Amino acid sequence: MFAFLSKKIALPNGVQVNCIAWNSTQDWIACGGKNGMLKVLLLERMSDEGSNLSMNQTLQGHEGAVMTVCWNENYQKLTSSDQNGLIIVWTLHKGMWFEEMINNRNKSFVRDMKWDGGGMKICIVYEDGVIIVGSVDGKRLWAHEQKKKLTLIEWSPDGQLILASTAEGECYVYDAFGHLCDEFILFPSDRHTVGPLTCMTWHRQNSSCSEVSRPSLAFGFEKGLVQLMRDEKDRDPLIIDVGLSIVHLKWNIDGTILAIAGVSSISSDPREISKVKFYDPRGNLLHILRVPGKAINSIAWERTGSRFAMAVDSFVYFADIRPSYRWGNLQNAIVYSFTKLGREEDCVMFWNHESLQKHAKYIKNLIAICTAGDNCVLVSKSTITDDFLLILCDSMGTLINSTCVKVNPLFTAMTEQYMVVASQTCVYLWSVDGLGESGIFSSRVREEERKEHDSLESSASMRCAMDRARSYDDHICALAVSEQVLLLYDGTLIILVQVNVLPQWIRSMYLSGCNLGYLNVIDYHH
C-alpha cells in the first residue's frame, strides 16, 4: 500500500487538537481540543480541484479541554467529554448540530467512552474506576465501581461484552448486564518494561471479512509494543515492536489495516518525529507515513478506507490511501482476488479476456499473486503449520504443483524461469524449468551443492538463504527479478545477484556480463 498527505486544515487561534473522530456513514468529522474547542467539519469528496469544506460548525458548551469524541452513526448523535467531566450529547437537526443532553458526575473526569455497534448503548469509564452504561435516550442501565484506575473501554464486536483496562495492562471483561466475566493481564512477564497502555481498538468483524479468525483486538503500549489478539480469550497473542512511542491506533473499516500513530526520535536529531505506521493483521509492516508537526494526538479512518485523518498540533491532516491490490496479468488472462460475503476464503478469479471465460479458485489466507508467461503462483499462509504455501497454477486456475517455505513472504516476484520469495532477512530463489509446459519445479542446484540440499524437497530447485542479521542490521525493503539478475534493496544499497548460480551475499553493486535493460525505482520520500 501507499499513503500520501493530501490536505491540511488549520484550527483557529492555534488551538491544539486532542481528539478526532470520523463518522462512518455521513463523513462528518469531529475535532476536540483545548479551551473547550469542538468543531464538526464536512469534507467534500475529492475532485479535480481538490477537496473543500462544505461545513465548519463550532459547538459551544465545553469550558475545559475536550478529550474524547465519539459518533453514534445509527442515531445521528455525537458525544463529547472534557477534562472537567462534562459530557454532552449533540444531535443533528436540519443540517446543524445542537445540544441534546448533558451530564456531569462532578467527581471524576471521563477517560474513555464508546457506543456499541448498534448505537443503543454507550459505555463510559471514569478515572476513579466507575463504569456507567446508558441507553441512547439518556437512561442509566447499570453502573459498576472497579477499585482500579481505568483508562480505556471497548465493546466486543457483537455488543455483548465490555472490555475495560488500566494503564498497567490489567483487563476486565463484563457482560451486557455488568457482571464480571473474566480478567487477564497483558504482557504478564514484561508489563513493567513496556510502559503504560495508551490505546486499544476492537474491530467489529462481520461475515464479509475474509478471515474471521484473524486478529481484531489490538493494544498499544507507550514504549512501542503492540499486542494483537483474535478475541478476549486469545492467550497466544501476536506481539510486534513498531519503534514508536504509541499514542493511538485504529483499524480500517474492514479490519485489514491497522494504523498506529506515535512519535519517534533518532540519535542524530533530538526532535520528535510524528509517524503513522500501517500493519496488516499478521503484523507485517505495509507503509510508513511521516507527518509534519511536533506531536500527533489522534487518528481516524474514513468509511471507505481510502482516506485517513490525523490530529497534529493545531492542524488536521488528511492522507489518501492506495492499497496494494492482489492481481496479475497472464498472456491471455487476468488474475485477481476479492472477498465474497459469507466466505472466509479469498476468491481468485482467472478471467480470459479473449474467450471471456471465468474460472474461480478459493484460497485461505491469500497473501500475494505472482504471474509470468501463462502461469501464476498463489502465495498463502498454511492453516495447519507455520509454513507458507506456493501454489503453481495455469491460466485457468488448475493446480500444477505446490510447495511449502518457511520464509515469511513479505516480497515476491516471478519470471518465466524463477520464483523469488523474501522476508526482511532471507531470500529463497527457485529456478523453474519448463514453466508453462510441464509446469514443475525441477532441481538445478550445482552438483557440488547437492549434498547440502538433500534435505530439500525435489521441487525446490535453488535455495538461497541469506542471513543478513549475521553481517549487518539492514533489512530488505524491495526486490525485482529478471531472467538474468535479482535486485535487492536494503534501504542503503541496491544489491545485484546473478540468478544462474548459487549466489553468495555481497555488500556492493556490480554490473558484469548482464543485460539489465531498464530498472524503475519509486522513492517514497522524494
Side-chain angles (χ1 to χ4, degrees):
M1 63 160 290
F2 181 60
F4 59 93
L5 298 177
S6 58
K7 189 176 181 63
K8 179 178 75 172
I9 298 176
L11 277 296
N13 303 319
V15 177
Q16 176 180 303
V17 185
N18 295 327
C19 51
I20 187 170
W22 205 325
N23 188 299
S24 63
T25 58
Q26 299 296 326
D27 281 342
W28 301 99
I29 304 171
C31 307
K34 289 187 175 181
N35 304 325
M37 188 272 294
L38 179 61
K39 281 184 170 291
V40 176
L41 313 174
L42 184 59
L43 192 66
E44 293 179 342
R45 296 298 302 176
M46 291 292 293
S47 62
D48 294 337
E49 293 77 23
S51 56
N52 299 310
L53 286 175
S54 60
M55 182 178 183
N56 183 353
Q57 182 184 353
T58 301
L59 307 185
Q60 302 289 342
H62 290 286
E63 295 182 358
V66 178
M67 307 302 295
T68 309
V69 290
C70 61
W71 289 101
N72 184 337
E73 288 91 353
N74 291 348
Y75 289 88
Q76 291 297 314
K77 296 181 186 295
L78 170 67
T79 309
S80 58
S81 66
D82 60 33
Q83 66 183 99
N84 300 324
L86 177 64
I87 302 174
I88 302 179
V89 179
W90 311 84
T91 188
L92 183 64
H93 179 68
K94 294 183 178 180
M96 300 291 289
W97 293 93
F98 295 92
E99 180 183 299
E100 182 184 41
M101 291 181 286
I102 63 172
N103 179 270
N104 196 338
R105 286 181 62 228
N106 296 313
K107 294 181 180 180
S108 182
F109 68 93
V110 176
R111 291 303 303 262
D112 198 9
M113 59 183 181
K114 299 284 174 58
W115 288 95
D116 68 350
M120 293 295 296
K121 294 180 287 187
I122 186 172
C123 185
I124 306 168
V125 60
Y126 289 86
E127 168 77 8
D128 58 5
V130 173
I131 302 174
I132 296 177
V133 174
S135 65
V136 68
D137 56 4
K139 295 179 181 179
R140 179 181 293 192
L141 300 178
W142 59 266
H144 178 80
E145 184 173 355
Q146 179 65 250
K147 295 180 180 179
K148 296 282 187 177
K149 288 187 176 181
L150 301 176
T151 57
L152 298 169
I153 202 79
E154 267 292 354
W155 289 90
S156 63
D158 59 4
Q160 298 301 310
L161 298 176
I162 296 173
L163 179 61
S165 67
T166 67
E168 291 75 27
E170 301 175 10
C171 298
Y172 303 90
V173 182
Y174 298 89
D175 63 16
F177 303 100
H179 303 131
L180 182 63
C181 301
D182 191 15
E183 56 184 276
F184 58 92
I185 300 177
L186 304 172
F187 289 105
S189 60
D190 302 317
R191 62 179 183 274
H192 300 297
T193 61
V194 299
L197 179 67
T198 58
C199 49
M200 71 175 175
T201 180
W202 203 341
H203 179 252
R204 295 168 183 170
Q205 290 181 339
N206 52 52
S207 59
S208 65
C209 294
S210 61
E211 299 175 53
V212 176
S213 62
R214 70 188 176 194
S216 60
L217 179 57
F219 301 86
F221 287 79
E222 185 182 62
K223 294 186 179 180
L225 292 183
V226 173
Q227 179 165 325
L228 299 177
M229 303 172 61
R230 292 176 176 83
D231 52 37
E232 79 286 355
K233 298 180 181 179
D234 186 1
R235 296 301 181 262
D236 186 23
L238 175 64
I239 310 298
I240 58 176
D241 188 351
V242 301
L244 298 174
S245 179
I246 299 176
V247 176
H248 198 192
L249 48 75
K250 199 76 174 176
W251 291 105
N252 68 342
I253 191 67
D254 58 2
T256 57
I257 301 175
L258 177 64
I260 304 173
V263 294
S264 66
S265 59
I266 55 178
S267 57
S268 60
D269 189 350
R271 296 176 300 174
E272 292 185 331
I273 302 172
S274 295
K275 294 181 180 179
V276 179
K277 293 190 175 183
F278 300 88
Y279 289 81
D280 68 15
R282 302 180 186 90
N284 298 319
L285 179 63
L286 302 176
H287 186 71
I288 302 176
L289 178 65
R290 182 170 174 172
V291 186
K294 297 180 180 178
I296 185 169
N297 295 314
S298 184
I299 56 177
W301 285 91
E302 187 240 10
R303 56 177 169 170
T304 65
S306 62
R307 289 191 295 178
F308 188 75
M310 297 152 285
V312 184
D313 300 330
S314 60
F315 301 94
V316 177
Y317 287 90
F318 294 89
D320 285 4
I321 308 296
R322 297 292 182 264
S324 298
Y325 297 102
R326 294 173 296 190
W327 72 284
N329 186 29
L330 301 176
Q331 290 181 354
N332 59 352
I334 295 176
V335 185
Y336 58 95
S337 69
F338 57 93
T339 59
K340 298 187 73 172
L341 186 65
R343 294 204 63 150
E344 294 186 23
E345 306 94 338
D346 288 273
C347 180
V348 181
M349 189 66 68
F350 295 78
W351 177 55
N352 189 308
H353 49 72
E354 295 180 356
S355 65
L356 302 182
Q357 290 182 336
K358 293 182 178 180
H359 303 274
K361 191 178 187 69
Y362 292 92
I363 303 295
K364 275 192 175 183
N365 303 333
L366 181 68
I367 297 175
I369 296 176
C370 295
T371 56
D374 205 29
N375 293 80
C376 78
V377 171
L378 307 178
V379 184
S380 66
K381 177 71 171 62
S382 172
T383 58
I384 302 175
T385 66
D386 292 332
D387 297 338
F388 296 89
L389 303 178
L390 302 181
I391 305 170
L392 179 64
C393 301
D394 62 14
S395 60
M396 295 188 296
T398 303
L399 175 65
I400 299 175
N401 203 353
S402 64
T403 188
C404 296
V405 295
K406 299 289 185 182
V407 63
N408 187 6
L410 299 181
F411 309 97
T412 57
M414 184 181 180
T415 71
E416 292 193 30
Q417 295 185 35
Y418 302 103
M419 176 67 195
V420 182
V421 178
S423 66
Q424 288 184 331
T425 59
C426 189
V427 176
Y428 283 78
L429 172 66
W430 289 271
S431 176
V432 183
D433 280 340
L435 183 62
E437 298 175 4
S438 62
I440 61 173
F441 293 109
S442 63
S443 179
R444 289 181 56 192
V445 183
R446 294 184 306 175
E447 189 64 31
E448 60 268 20
E449 302 288 344
R450 189 169 301 280
K451 291 183 180 180
E452 182 180 347
H453 293 269
D454 281 345
S455 60
L456 295 178
E457 295 182 4
S458 60
S459 60
S461 62
M462 188 182 294
R463 178 180 181 270
C464 172
M466 303 177 184
D467 189 357
R468 302 165 57 95
R470 291 181 297 188
S471 57
Y472 59 101
D473 295 330
D474 293 337
H475 288 165
I476 297 172
C477 302
L479 67 81
V481 65
S482 71
E483 301 295 352
Q484 293 81 32
V485 296
L486 167 66
L487 296 175
L488 302 173
Y489 177 61
D490 66 358
T492 305
L493 301 173
I494 294 179
I495 300 96
L496 183 149
V497 183
Q498 287 180 295
V499 297
N500 60 342
V501 296
L502 189 67
Q504 299 295 325
W505 188 250
I506 57 175
R507 283 299 308 272
S508 61
M509 179 177 175
Y510 64 89
L511 303 174
S512 60
C514 299
N515 181 14
L516 293 180
Y518 295 95
L519 171 66
N520 296 321
V521 177
I522 298 177
D523 186 346
Y524 284 168
H525 298 289
H526 298 287

